[in-house]
Amino acid sequence: FQGAVRGTSIHDDVGKPALSLNQESDPLWRAIRAGAAAGNQEDDIDAYVEAQQPRLWISADGSVSPTHFDESLSVLVQLHGQKRMLLFDPACTARLCPYPNHHPLRRRAMVDITADEVWLRSRFPRFFEEPHIQAVEAVVNAGDVLVFPARWMHWTETVSPVSCSLTRRFRPRRRGQRRSRPFLRWMCESSAQ
């Protein structure tokens, strides 16, 4: 997949975050705020409610979660070990060839970005069209928090002997619905410091 996906990293040369979640220039942050605005809540981050119960993920070195998207804003807290993620803007989704809506794997991409390039070109030529698909690479270590918007395709690989992470998912709150726990606001404010 090296010839088809161009990447940018959200970490600088010394491993510290290079993009801040509160910068207007950050496309991930703009997409999160746009999701709140779409829920008729202006751009108030408190406009979110929890979409599902928290999930604990434990995996071994080399474990992969194939390219897929979540239907709500995701917060991944890396508790132990390290993961590498490639995130794709929703504009790339069609070229990653998601399964149809009626299929059991409907949120998953048919394109396996780790497959042999010759096989990929024969099966998914659209994946290689210009301009190349852009991926944002995030390497998360113990103590890191990664927030990414709904419908951003992402591929995840464990790159440490053992990884343990917690995910929480949030969706825009509808009018009259009670507010979410303050976790998301706290996480965003504390990461900006």
Side-chain angles (χ1 to χ4, degrees), residues 135-167:
V136 175
E137 180 183 36
V139 177
V140 290
N141 296 291
D144 289 347
V145 176
L146 179 65
V147 179
F148 53 98
R151 305 193 74 77
W152 276 59
M153 286 270 189
H154 51 283
W155 175 89
T156 308
E157 175 185 28
T158 298
V159 291
S160 62
V162 176
S163 168
C164 181
S165 55
L166 179 76
T167 57

mmCIF file of all heavy atoms in Angstrom, residues 135-167:
data_model
loop_
_atom_site.group_PDB
_atom_site.id
_atom_site.type_symbol
_atom_site.label_atom_id
_atom_site.label_comp_id
_atom_site.label_asym_id
_atom_site.label_seq_id
_atom_site.Cartn_x
_atom_site.Cartn_y
_atom_site.Cartn_z
ATOM 1 N N ALA A 135 -3.595 9.589 4.057
ATOM 2 C CA ALA A 135 -3.835 9.010 5.379
ATOM 3 C C ALA A 135 -3.121 9.853 6.424
ATOM 4 O O ALA A 135 -2.040 10.378 6.168
ATOM 5 C CB ALA A 135 -3.316 7.579 5.440
ATOM 6 N N VAL A 136 -3.736 9.971 7.574
ATOM 7 C CA VAL A 136 -3.086 10.589 8.723
ATOM 8 C C VAL A 136 -2.633 9.438 9.606
ATOM 9 O O VAL A 136 -3.431 8.568 9.957
ATOM 10 C CB VAL A 136 -4.055 11.508 9.500
ATOM 11 C CG1 VAL A 136 -3.393 12.055 10.753
ATOM 12 C CG2 VAL A 136 -4.552 12.635 8.614
ATOM 13 N N GLU A 137 -1.335 9.394 9.923
ATOM 14 C CA GLU A 137 -0.806 8.345 10.781
ATOM 15 C C GLU A 137 -0.759 8.840 12.217
ATOM 16 O O GLU A 137 -0.287 9.944 12.483
ATOM 17 C CB GLU A 137 0.590 7.934 10.348
ATOM 18 C CG GLU A 137 1.177 6.837 11.224
ATOM 19 C CD GLU A 137 2.603 6.482 10.847
ATOM 20 O OE1 GLU A 137 3.375 7.395 10.466
ATOM 21 O OE2 GLU A 137 2.956 5.301 10.942
ATOM 22 N N ALA A 138 -1.256 8.026 13.133
ATOM 23 C CA ALA A 138 -1.182 8.340 14.558
ATOM 24 C C ALA A 138 -0.572 7.143 15.270
ATOM 25 O O ALA A 138 -1.035 6.023 15.112
ATOM 26 C CB ALA A 138 -2.574 8.620 15.111
ATOM 27 N N VAL A 139 0.495 7.384 16.011
ATOM 28 C CA VAL A 139 1.083 6.356 16.854
ATOM 29 C C VAL A 139 0.748 6.766 18.285
ATOM 30 O O VAL A 139 1.164 7.817 18.740
ATOM 31 C CB VAL A 139 2.604 6.236 16.641
ATOM 32 C CG1 VAL A 139 3.206 5.210 17.590
ATOM 33 C CG2 VAL A 139 2.906 5.871 15.193
ATOM 34 N N VAL A 140 -0.058 5.933 18.962
ATOM 35 C CA VAL A 140 -0.488 6.263 20.314
ATOM 36 C C VAL A 140 0.229 5.368 21.324
ATOM 37 O O VAL A 140 0.340 4.159 21.131
ATOM 38 C CB VAL A 140 -2.025 6.171 20.472
ATOM 39 C CG1 VAL A 140 -2.705 7.288 19.712
ATOM 40 C CG2 VAL A 140 -2.563 4.835 20.028
ATOM 41 N N ASN A 141 0.746 6.005 22.345
ATOM 42 C CA ASN A 141 1.467 5.332 23.425
ATOM 43 C C ASN A 141 0.654 5.426 24.705
ATOM 44 O O ASN A 141 -0.303 6.205 24.787
ATOM 45 C CB ASN A 141 2.828 6.015 23.640
ATOM 46 C CG ASN A 141 3.718 5.879 22.428
ATOM 47 O OD1 ASN A 141 4.172 4.793 22.111
ATOM 48 N ND2 ASN A 141 3.963 6.993 21.741
ATOM 49 N N ALA A 142 1.046 4.666 25.712
ATOM 50 C CA ALA A 142 0.351 4.698 26.999
ATOM 51 C C ALA A 142 0.203 6.144 27.470
ATOM 52 O O ALA A 142 1.175 6.911 27.470
ATOM 53 C CB ALA A 142 1.105 3.871 28.028
ATOM 54 N N GLY A 143 -1.015 6.525 27.812
ATOM 55 C CA GLY A 143 -1.303 7.875 28.268
ATOM 56 C C GLY A 143 -1.808 8.803 27.178
ATOM 57 O O GLY A 143 -2.319 9.882 27.472
ATOM 58 N N ASP A 144 -1.682 8.416 25.905
ATOM 59 C CA ASP A 144 -2.172 9.244 24.799
ATOM 60 C C ASP A 144 -3.671 9.072 24.618
ATOM 61 O O ASP A 144 -4.230 8.003 24.889
ATOM 62 C CB ASP A 144 -1.483 8.868 23.480
ATOM 63 C CG ASP A 144 -0.023 9.289 23.413
ATOM 64 O OD1 ASP A 144 0.412 10.089 24.271
ATOM 65 O OD2 ASP A 144 0.675 8.807 22.512
ATOM 66 N N VAL A 145 -4.299 10.131 24.133
ATOM 67 C CA VAL A 145 -5.725 10.109 23.798
ATOM 68 C C VAL A 145 -5.850 10.544 22.347
ATOM 69 O O VAL A 145 -5.272 11.553 21.952
ATOM 70 C CB VAL A 145 -6.538 11.065 24.708
ATOM 71 C CG1 VAL A 145 -7.994 11.110 24.280
ATOM 72 C CG2 VAL A 145 -6.416 10.645 26.165
ATOM 73 N N LEU A 146 -6.568 9.778 21.558
ATOM 74 C CA LEU A 146 -6.816 10.113 20.158
ATOM 75 C C LEU A 146 -8.321 10.283 19.965
ATOM 76 O O LEU A 146 -9.095 9.399 20.321
ATOM 77 C CB LEU A 146 -6.289 9.024 19.226
ATOM 78 C CG LEU A 146 -6.501 9.250 17.728
ATOM 79 C CD1 LEU A 146 -5.715 10.465 17.249
ATOM 80 C CD2 LEU A 146 -6.099 8.020 16.936
ATOM 81 N N VAL A 147 -8.724 11.421 19.423
ATOM 82 C CA VAL A 147 -10.130 11.705 19.126
ATOM 83 C C VAL A 147 -10.256 11.801 17.619
ATOM 84 O O VAL A 147 -9.479 12.514 16.974
ATOM 85 C CB VAL A 147 -10.574 13.037 19.779
ATOM 86 C CG1 VAL A 147 -12.025 13.346 19.438
ATOM 87 C CG2 VAL A 147 -10.370 12.992 21.286
ATOM 88 N N PHE A 148 -11.224 11.067 17.045
ATOM 89 C CA PHE A 148 -11.434 11.199 15.605
ATOM 90 C C PHE A 148 -12.924 11.140 15.294
ATOM 91 O O PHE A 148 -13.693 10.484 15.978
ATOM 92 C CB PHE A 148 -10.622 10.181 14.798
ATOM 93 C CG PHE A 148 -10.788 8.749 15.189
ATOM 94 C CD1 PHE A 148 -11.658 7.934 14.488
ATOM 95 C CD2 PHE A 148 -10.065 8.206 16.238
ATOM 96 C CE1 PHE A 148 -11.807 6.596 14.828
ATOM 97 C CE2 PHE A 148 -10.207 6.878 16.586
ATOM 98 C CZ PHE A 148 -11.086 6.069 15.883
ATOM 99 N N PRO A 149 -13.314 11.864 14.244
ATOM 100 C CA PRO A 149 -14.728 12.035 13.913
ATOM 101 C C PRO A 149 -15.400 10.771 13.374
ATOM 102 O O PRO A 149 -14.744 9.832 12.930
ATOM 103 C CB PRO A 149 -14.725 13.109 12.818
ATOM 104 C CG PRO A 149 -13.369 13.714 12.857
ATOM 105 C CD PRO A 149 -12.448 12.676 13.391
ATOM 106 N N ALA A 150 -16.699 10.805 13.414
ATOM 107 C CA ALA A 150 -17.507 9.740 12.824
ATOM 108 C C ALA A 150 -17.175 9.609 11.340
ATOM 109 O O ALA A 150 -16.838 10.586 10.672
ATOM 110 C CB ALA A 150 -18.993 10.070 12.992
ATOM 111 N N ARG A 151 -17.258 8.389 10.852
ATOM 112 C CA ARG A 151 -17.137 8.043 9.441
ATOM 113 C C ARG A 151 -15.727 8.231 8.862
ATOM 114 O O ARG A 151 -15.543 8.148 7.670
ATOM 115 C CB ARG A 151 -18.195 8.766 8.611
ATOM 116 C CG ARG A 151 -19.615 8.475 9.151
ATOM 117 C CD ARG A 151 -20.711 8.882 8.224
ATOM 118 N NE ARG A 151 -20.865 8.004 7.090
ATOM 119 C CZ ARG A 151 -21.454 6.799 7.098
ATOM 120 N NH1 ARG A 151 -21.927 6.311 8.203
ATOM 121 N NH2 ARG A 151 -21.563 6.094 6.004
ATOM 122 N N TRP A 152 -14.735 8.438 9.702
ATOM 123 C CA TRP A 152 -13.350 8.447 9.227
ATOM 124 C C TRP A 152 -12.879 6.992 9.234
ATOM 125 O O TRP A 152 -12.791 6.360 10.276
ATOM 126 C CB TRP A 152 -12.452 9.298 10.127
ATOM 127 C CG TRP A 152 -12.501 10.753 9.795
ATOM 128 C CD1 TRP A 152 -13.608 11.551 9.809
ATOM 129 C CD2 TRP A 152 -11.413 11.563 9.393
ATOM 130 N NE1 TRP A 152 -13.261 12.815 9.443
ATOM 131 C CE2 TRP A 152 -11.921 12.861 9.179
ATOM 132 C CE3 TRP A 152 -10.050 11.329 9.197
ATOM 133 C CZ2 TRP A 152 -11.117 13.914 8.770
ATOM 134 C CZ3 TRP A 152 -9.252 12.389 8.801
ATOM 135 C CH2 TRP A 152 -9.778 13.660 8.587
ATOM 136 N N MET A 153 -12.593 6.447 8.044
ATOM 137 C CA MET A 153 -12.066 5.091 7.955
ATOM 138 C C MET A 153 -10.729 5.060 8.706
ATOM 139 O O MET A 153 -9.963 6.029 8.673
ATOM 140 C CB MET A 153 -11.826 4.690 6.497
ATOM 141 C CG MET A 153 -13.088 4.392 5.714
ATOM 142 S SD MET A 153 -13.453 2.645 5.878
ATOM 143 C CE MET A 153 -14.749 2.439 4.701
ATOM 144 N N HIS A 154 -10.476 3.956 9.388
ATOM 145 C CA HIS A 154 -9.209 3.820 10.094
ATOM 146 C C HIS A 154 -8.785 2.358 10.147
ATOM 147 O O HIS A 154 -9.602 1.448 10.173
ATOM 148 C CB HIS A 154 -9.269 4.426 11.504
ATOM 149 C CG HIS A 154 -10.422 3.957 12.329
ATOM 150 N ND1 HIS A 154 -11.710 4.413 12.154
ATOM 151 C CD2 HIS A 154 -10.490 3.056 13.333
ATOM 152 C CE1 HIS A 154 -12.511 3.819 13.023
ATOM 153 N NE2 HIS A 154 -11.795 2.985 13.747
ATOM 154 N N TRP A 155 -7.477 2.165 10.114
ATOM 155 C CA TRP A 155 -6.817 0.869 10.175
ATOM 156 C C TRP A 155 -5.920 0.913 11.407
ATOM 157 O O TRP A 155 -5.239 1.915 11.632
ATOM 158 C CB TRP A 155 -6.005 0.673 8.900
ATOM 159 C CG TRP A 155 -5.155 -0.552 8.833
ATOM 160 C CD1 TRP A 155 -5.528 -1.779 8.366
ATOM 161 C CD2 TRP A 155 -3.777 -0.675 9.194
ATOM 162 N NE1 TRP A 155 -4.477 -2.651 8.421
ATOM 163 C CE2 TRP A 155 -3.388 -1.999 8.931
ATOM 164 C CE3 TRP A 155 -2.842 0.209 9.719
ATOM 165 C CZ2 TRP A 155 -2.098 -2.461 9.174
ATOM 166 C CZ3 TRP A 155 -1.564 -0.247 9.973
ATOM 167 C CH2 TRP A 155 -1.202 -1.568 9.693
ATOM 168 N N THR A 156 -5.931 -0.132 12.208
ATOM 169 C CA THR A 156 -5.191 -0.116 13.475
ATOM 170 C C THR A 156 -4.314 -1.358 13.592
ATOM 171 O O THR A 156 -4.755 -2.463 13.287
ATOM 172 C CB THR A 156 -6.175 -0.071 14.664
ATOM 173 O OG1 THR A 156 -7.089 1.005 14.479
ATOM 174 C CG2 THR A 156 -5.448 0.101 15.976
ATOM 175 N N GLU A 157 -3.080 -1.153 14.060
ATOM 176 C CA GLU A 157 -2.144 -2.256 14.267
ATOM 177 C C GLU A 157 -1.483 -2.101 15.630
ATOM 178 O O GLU A 157 -1.043 -1.008 15.991
ATOM 179 C CB GLU A 157 -1.069 -2.234 13.182
ATOM 180 C CG GLU A 157 0.005 -3.269 13.373
ATOM 181 C CD GLU A 157 1.128 -3.158 12.346
ATOM 182 O OE1 GLU A 157 1.384 -2.052 11.842
ATOM 183 O OE2 GLU A 157 1.755 -4.195 12.076
ATOM 184 N N THR A 158 -1.406 -3.185 16.387
ATOM 185 C CA THR A 158 -0.671 -3.180 17.652
ATOM 186 C C THR A 158 0.809 -3.320 17.331
ATOM 187 O O THR A 158 1.197 -4.217 16.586
ATOM 188 C CB THR A 158 -1.141 -4.325 18.567
ATOM 189 O OG1 THR A 158 -2.522 -4.112 18.858
ATOM 190 C CG2 THR A 158 -0.350 -4.379 19.855
ATOM 191 N N VAL A 159 1.627 -2.416 17.870
ATOM 192 C CA VAL A 159 3.064 -2.426 17.572
ATOM 193 C C VAL A 159 3.902 -2.534 18.852
ATOM 194 O O VAL A 159 5.030 -2.053 18.895
ATOM 195 C CB VAL A 159 3.478 -1.195 16.725
ATOM 196 C CG1 VAL A 159 2.906 -1.293 15.325
ATOM 197 C CG2 VAL A 159 3.058 0.108 17.384
ATOM 198 N N SER A 160 3.354 -3.168 19.862
ATOM 199 C CA SER A 160 4.082 -3.452 21.100
ATOM 200 C C SER A 160 3.702 -4.874 21.520
ATOM 201 O O SER A 160 2.717 -5.423 21.017
ATOM 202 C CB SER A 160 3.707 -2.437 22.189
ATOM 203 O OG SER A 160 2.335 -2.508 22.498
ATOM 204 N N PRO A 161 4.456 -5.484 22.424
ATOM 205 C CA PRO A 161 4.124 -6.866 22.803
ATOM 206 C C PRO A 161 2.671 -7.041 23.261
ATOM 207 O O PRO A 161 2.025 -8.012 22.908
ATOM 208 C CB PRO A 161 5.109 -7.169 23.937
ATOM 209 C CG PRO A 161 6.279 -6.284 23.642
ATOM 210 C CD PRO A 161 5.691 -5.021 23.067
ATOM 211 N N VAL A 162 2.162 -6.079 24.024
ATOM 212 C CA VAL A 162 0.775 -6.112 24.480
ATOM 213 C C VAL A 162 0.244 -4.689 24.436
ATOM 214 O O VAL A 162 0.952 -3.738 24.766
ATOM 215 C CB VAL A 162 0.647 -6.666 25.924
ATOM 216 C CG1 VAL A 162 -0.787 -6.593 26.410
ATOM 217 C CG2 VAL A 162 1.160 -8.087 26.008
ATOM 218 N N SER A 163 -0.994 -4.545 24.021
ATOM 219 C CA SER A 163 -1.647 -3.228 23.988
ATOM 220 C C SER A 163 -2.976 -3.333 24.725
ATOM 221 O O SER A 163 -3.693 -4.329 24.604
ATOM 222 C CB SER A 163 -1.895 -2.805 22.542
ATOM 223 O OG SER A 163 -2.751 -1.678 22.512
ATOM 224 N N CYS A 164 -3.277 -2.285 25.468
ATOM 225 C CA CYS A 164 -4.564 -2.201 26.142
ATOM 226 C C CYS A 164 -5.079 -0.784 25.946
ATOM 227 O O CYS A 164 -4.378 0.192 26.238
ATOM 228 C CB CYS A 164 -4.376 -2.510 27.629
ATOM 229 S SG CYS A 164 -5.907 -2.455 28.574
ATOM 230 N N SER A 165 -6.276 -0.665 25.390
ATOM 231 C CA SER A 165 -6.858 0.659 25.170
ATOM 232 C C SER A 165 -8.340 0.622 25.500
ATOM 233 O O SER A 165 -8.970 -0.430 25.530
ATOM 234 C CB SER A 165 -6.625 1.128 23.734
ATOM 235 O OG SER A 165 -7.113 0.196 22.810
ATOM 236 N N LEU A 166 -8.875 1.805 25.734
ATOM 237 C CA LEU A 166 -10.280 1.981 26.054
ATOM 238 C C LEU A 166 -10.861 2.915 25.005
ATOM 239 O O LEU A 166 -10.245 3.932 24.679
ATOM 240 C CB LEU A 166 -10.424 2.607 27.444
ATOM 241 C CG LEU A 166 -11.843 2.882 27.915
ATOM 242 C CD1 LEU A 166 -12.515 1.576 28.333
ATOM 243 C CD2 LEU A 166 -11.817 3.857 29.085
ATOM 244 N N THR A 167 -12.012 2.548 24.451
ATOM 245 C CA THR A 167 -12.666 3.452 23.508
ATOM 246 C C THR A 167 -14.032 3.846 24.043
ATOM 247 O O THR A 167 -14.721 3.065 24.694
ATOM 248 C CB THR A 167 -12.846 2.828 22.107
ATOM 249 O OG1 THR A 167 -13.584 1.619 22.206
ATOM 250 C CG2 THR A 167 -11.516 2.582 21.427
#
